[in-house]
Amino acid sequence: MGHAVERRLKRARDGQEAAFLDLFDEQHLPLFRFAYRLTGSVTDAEDIVQECFLGLLQPHNGFDPSRTQLRTYLFGAVRNQAYKRLRNREDTGIPFRAPLVRLSPEAEAFQAELESRVAQAVMQLPETQREVLILEHYEQMPLAEIAEILEIEVAAVKSRLQRARITLREALAAYAPGAERSR
Amino acid sequence: MTETDLDELLDAWRAPAPPPSLRAGLRTSFPADRRRRLWGVPLRWIVACAASAGALAVGTSLVTDPMMTRFASRMEDGNWVITTRMIDPPIARLKYWMRVSEGMTGNGAVSWFDHSAGTCVGYRLTRTPLSGGEYSVGVEQLTLDEIRRMHPTISTAGRLLPLPASPAPRIVKLGESFDIDLIAVPHGERIYDRVVFSSQAPDSVNQHEPPEIRAQTLRLANPVLYIDGQLQPGPAGAVRSESHGPTVWFHLPNQGRYLIALDPQKNPRFSQAGNVNGATLEFALEGNQYRLESPEPIATGGERPVYVFHDEGFQINSRSGLAETVLFGSAGPAYLYAK
């Protein structure tokens, strides 16, 4: 598997567009979701994923197949790019815009509100907790792989995840089954 | 709330599907001839640089010219402030070639905007003439907003970098040069401006380029533009405007940008539309006649065809306040290879 990815990447770097697109098709979906949930922006997520894949073609690119899997490397690259953009965004004060959804008329109002609240609650987590939660919950990634991407110990992943979930439980308490909501 | 309840709530936040433009954009950005590139720069450009430098592509002596660009502005007393941007080591010039925009205004502000890193830095040189051909010179760091206004084509928000050092005010004689550090990467590149106050107008930056590069380069030095015989109002100010590169362009309010090249590298967006001969460049497009005139040659080698791409979607950054202005500029080879 690893060798196949390596060979495909080599062909892509040699100018074979088909090999490059195969790599993209295999890998891009979770990366796009991760970038989107880190930045809250489809446009940013699109740019980030594109930059990360094009970065693979650079001769001085830091990916070393003997040390890490491509997927792990790309998640790390997406994370770095996302935080770079978020820092720029902080300079200009661009607010996070909650996603819009379209559902059946009956469910639309509540679902839109819930989705927006959940998105905001996750986005308001500290970066270190947010990234762990997104990878663990939304990408169903093993803790060991998260630790490798973030270059931290598994115990630290567990601790951050636990803190994130405690915060979210409090933030979203009003939406728990049976909870009374005041609007 | 149970763990399961929380999981179900979190699932309410769904990520959208990637837009089709993601894959399409990646395809169009995939370089067709990767093997012949270094840092994204077509190898023949690098070889031309190397050959002219006499380095013949040996190790780090690939490029030996440390000069990146040059600005000049004329002061009230008729003398010039000439700012030559340098990089050390010179090989790093290629790394930054296609990712950096540089700007200068008539009041002595100069800037650097790295598109790739999203970072920028700039300063304003304050100068007060003293007696005996001397000047009192100070350096003030520019704000992010000031730099953005100087880079109307950049949409990136940008992150302001501080100057590596705060230069103290000094007294400078006519003809004496001094350096101002712009970027200092630890164990990496140093990018700095060498400033000289001179009674002589500067020579063209283009004269420092290797002949192989110059042959494919267009240069607009203080150009004027006519459309169907009507002179278009250009940007005001005392800056000696000079844009040069494999692609030069002009922007018209509400009409986007017209990119012009001598060799479009088979890019289908460019079509042969006219000719350049010495200091005059003319082309016809979409029923209009365009004529650029410059006091200095726009291209070398006699009459040559030019290729034009009208990028109607291009917009000047609204923060610059220049969206309603005719602007001129240049771009690196990347524009020729983007489909």
Side-chain angles (χ1 to χ4, degrees):
Chain A
M1 179 71 174
H3 290 302
V5 168
E6 200 177 329
R7 280 197 300 273
R8 205 170 288 160
L9 181 58
K10 184 178 183 311
R11 291 208 307 276
R13 284 178 172 165
D14 285 345
Q16 290 187 29
E17 185 182 292
F20 184 57
L21 292 176
D22 282 349
L23 277 178
F24 170 79
D25 291 341
E26 278 176 11
Q27 309 273 349
H28 80 282
L29 270 177
L31 296 167
F32 177 82
R33 289 194 302 258
F34 182 45
Y36 169 75
R37 287 195 167 103
L38 282 179
T39 61
S41 159
V42 170
T43 307
D44 280 345
E46 182 179 0
D47 289 348
I48 288 166
V49 172
Q50 208 165 86
E51 283 169 20
C52 290
F53 274 95
L54 288 173
L56 278 177
L57 300 175
Q58 298 301 316
H60 56 281
N61 174 273
F63 173 57
D64 179 356
S66 67
R67 293 178 53 194
T68 185
Q69 290 187 11
L70 181 62
R71 166 183 146 104
T72 306
Y73 169 81
L74 284 170
F75 266 100
V78 164
R79 172 180 176 257
N80 292 339
Q81 290 282 343
Y83 288 147
K84 194 194 291 183
R85 279 172 185 260
L86 287 174
R87 279 193 291 276
N88 285 342
R89 186 187 293 179
E90 281 161 13
D91 288 343
T92 53
I94 299 169
F96 167 68
R97 201 173 292 165
L100 296 174
V101 290
R102 290 284 177 269
L103 296 177
S104 66
E106 296 80 20
E108 185 169 353
F110 174 71
Q111 186 61 38
E113 178 189 317
L114 177 61
E115 182 165 8
S116 175
R117 290 293 171 88
V118 171
Q120 285 175 357
V122 175
M123 292 294 289
Q124 283 168 4
L125 290 171
E127 277 180 6
T128 52
Q129 294 176 29
R130 185 165 80 234
E131 60 193 11
V132 168
L133 179 105
I134 292 171
L135 291 173
E136 193 274 341
H137 178 81
Y138 291 105
E139 298 309 324
Q140 302 284 301
M141 196 175 277
L143 299 185
E145 190 176 355
I146 298 173
E148 192 180 351
I149 290 169
L150 305 182
E151 297 177 332
I152 57 176
E153 298 294 326
V154 173
V157 175
K158 282 182 187 170
S159 160
R160 291 177 187 183
L161 183 60
Q162 195 176 16
R163 289 203 300 276
R165 292 183 69 92
I166 289 170
T167 307
L168 290 172
R169 198 174 285 125
E170 289 170 3
L172 300 171
Y175 294 87
E180 292 280 331
R181 272 191 303 280
S182 59
R183 304 184 64 186
Chain B
M1 186 192 305
T2 65
E3 291 292 319
T4 309
D5 291 340
L6 179 59
D7 285 337
E8 286 176 1
L9 281 176
L10 291 175
D11 287 342
W13 183 21
R14 288 161 298 179
S21 54
L22 171 55
R23 194 175 194 275
L26 210 61
R27 287 194 69 183
T28 56
S29 301
F30 185 82
D33 54 350
R34 281 211 48 78
R35 279 187 217 178
R36 293 163 53 205
R37 288 166 175 242
L38 183 61
W39 288 314
V41 180
L43 193 57
R44 65 194 185 82
W45 284 81
I46 295 170
V47 170
C49 283
S52 79
L56 298 176
V58 178
T60 54
S61 61
L62 187 65
V63 174
T64 58
D65 184 357
M67 190 177 92
M68 300 183 80
T69 190
R70 177 174 286 163
F71 312 108
S73 67
R74 197 158 199 179
M75 296 184 288
E76 296 76 11
D77 62 2
N79 289 327
W80 292 84
V81 182
I82 303 169
T83 304
T84 306
R85 187 149 294 169
M86 316 281 273
I87 188 162
D88 181 28
I91 181 76
R93 181 181 166 210
L94 290 169
K95 172 180 162 188
Y96 288 103
W97 187 20
M98 300 204 333
R99 57 188 259 190
V100 167
S101 292
E102 290 151 319
M104 184 182 200
T105 66
N107 68 357
V110 296
S111 60
W112 158 285
F113 207 123
D114 185 332
H115 311 236
S116 180
T119 53
C120 57
V121 61
Y123 64 87
R124 180 181 298 103
L125 208 59
T126 60
R127 62 261 174 149
T128 308
L130 306 172
S131 59
E134 290 186 330
Y135 294 84
S136 170
V137 178
V139 175
E140 297 170 354
Q141 172 124 20
L142 296 182
T143 66
L144 189 57
D145 276 346
E146 285 176 303
I147 295 175
R148 283 180 187 148
R149 280 195 292 274
M150 293 171 68
H151 295 273
T153 64
I154 295 179
S155 56
T156 309
R159 185 160 53 89
L160 184 66
L161 299 176
L163 289 172
S166 299
R170 65 174 77 202
I171 306 294
V172 179
K173 290 179 184 169
L174 208 57
E176 180 186 349
S177 68
F178 59 98
D179 294 346
I180 300 171
D181 279 2
L182 216 60
I183 307 271
V185 180
H187 312 294
E189 304 92 24
R190 174 187 176 225
I191 295 152
Y192 59 102
D193 286 348
R194 181 150 292 168
V195 183
V196 63
F197 288 63
S198 172
S199 58
Q200 303 291 315
D203 56 357
S204 166
V205 176
N206 193 229
Q207 290 175 10
H208 295 264
E209 296 288 4
E212 294 87 346
I213 294 286
R214 227 183 308 156
Q216 295 301 326
T217 297
L218 290 166
R219 185 165 72 92
L220 298 177
N222 286 350
V224 290
L225 171 66
Y226 295 86
I227 302 177
D228 295 331
Q230 295 291 312
L231 177 64
Q232 304 299 303
V239 177
R240 181 184 189 281
S241 151
E242 178 175 324
S243 308
H244 69 103
T247 310
V248 292
W249 54 262
F250 59 85
H251 160 266
L252 298 178
N254 305 313
Q255 294 180 53
R257 179 164 69 161
Y258 294 76
L259 295 126
I260 309 165
L262 287 168
D263 179 358
Q265 304 294 327
K266 299 180 183 174
N267 186 322
R269 299 190 306 179
F270 285 78
S271 56
Q272 187 175 340
N275 295 289
V276 59
N277 193 354
T280 302
L281 188 154
E282 290 179 290
F283 66 90
L285 199 68
E286 299 155 351
N288 294 313
Q289 295 284 334
Y290 300 86
R291 179 181 173 91
L292 283 161
E293 291 182 1
S294 167
E296 299 170 35
I298 298 175
T300 59
E303 184 170 318
R304 301 172 64 183
V306 292
Y307 298 79
V308 180
F309 163 48
H310 181 191
D311 183 2
E312 293 178 78
F314 176 83
Q315 289 185 330
I316 290 292
N317 173 359
S318 59
R319 288 186 294 258
S320 69
L322 296 171
E324 299 303 317
T325 309
V326 177
L327 293 175
F328 302 94
S330 62
Y335 288 84
L336 301 175
Y337 287 85
K339 297 190 179 71

